[in-house]
């Protein structure tokens, strides 16, 4: 897989993830980047970020996160890290 294919796969994951959330959330792309791993031309990484634009109350914030977590597990994705920042929660 080359870097373009990796970027397209990451984008597809972001779109599919947000499509699984009901009621739908408004979101937008955030900064993305890519690079080589250890200076290698053979290995690299792609990072895609999304920002949820829908205001979600603190009381209800767990609901969309739970939907996303269940969707990722259902599709075979493995959650390897969770940042428990209540203002800016994120996962891989």
């Amino acid at each position: 897989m080359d870097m373009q294919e990796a970027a397209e796969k990451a984008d597809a994951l972001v779109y599919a993830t947000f499509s699984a959330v009901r009621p739908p959330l408004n979101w937008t792309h955030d900064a993305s980047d890519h690079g080589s791993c250890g200076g290698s031309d053979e290995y690299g990484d792609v990072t895609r970020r999304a920002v949820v634009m829908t205001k979600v109350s603190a009381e209800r914030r767990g609901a969309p996160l739970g939907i996303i977590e269940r969707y990722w597990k259902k599709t075979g994705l493995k959650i390897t890290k969770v940042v428990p920042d209540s203002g800016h929660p994120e996962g891989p």
Side-chain angles (χ1 to χ4, degrees):
M1 174 181 319
D2 65 22
M3 296 299 277
Q4 181 62 42
E5 291 168 329
E8 290 170 3
K9 186 174 181 177
D11 286 340
L13 174 61
V14 170
Y15 287 117
T17 296
F18 282 108
S19 294
V21 178
R22 293 287 179 258
L25 297 170
N26 293 319
W27 65 277
T28 187
H29 290 282
D30 196 10
S32 298
D33 61 28
H34 65 280
S36 62
C37 293
S40 169
D41 289 335
E42 227 177 295
Y43 300 101
D45 65 80
V46 172
T47 301
R48 293 293 195 248
R49 294 178 182 91
V51 176
V52 174
M53 305 300 286
T54 303
K55 290 187 181 198
V56 180
S57 69
E59 299 81 31
R60 295 184 180 189
R61 199 163 291 145
L65 293 174
I67 293 167
I68 290 169
E69 179 180 9
R70 287 188 297 278
Y71 172 77
W72 282 353
K73 287 180 178 180
K74 181 177 87 172
T75 58
L77 293 168
K78 181 179 176 184
I79 298 171
T80 60
K81 177 181 164 188
V82 175
V83 178
D85 181 332
S86 63
H88 297 89
E90 62 181 73

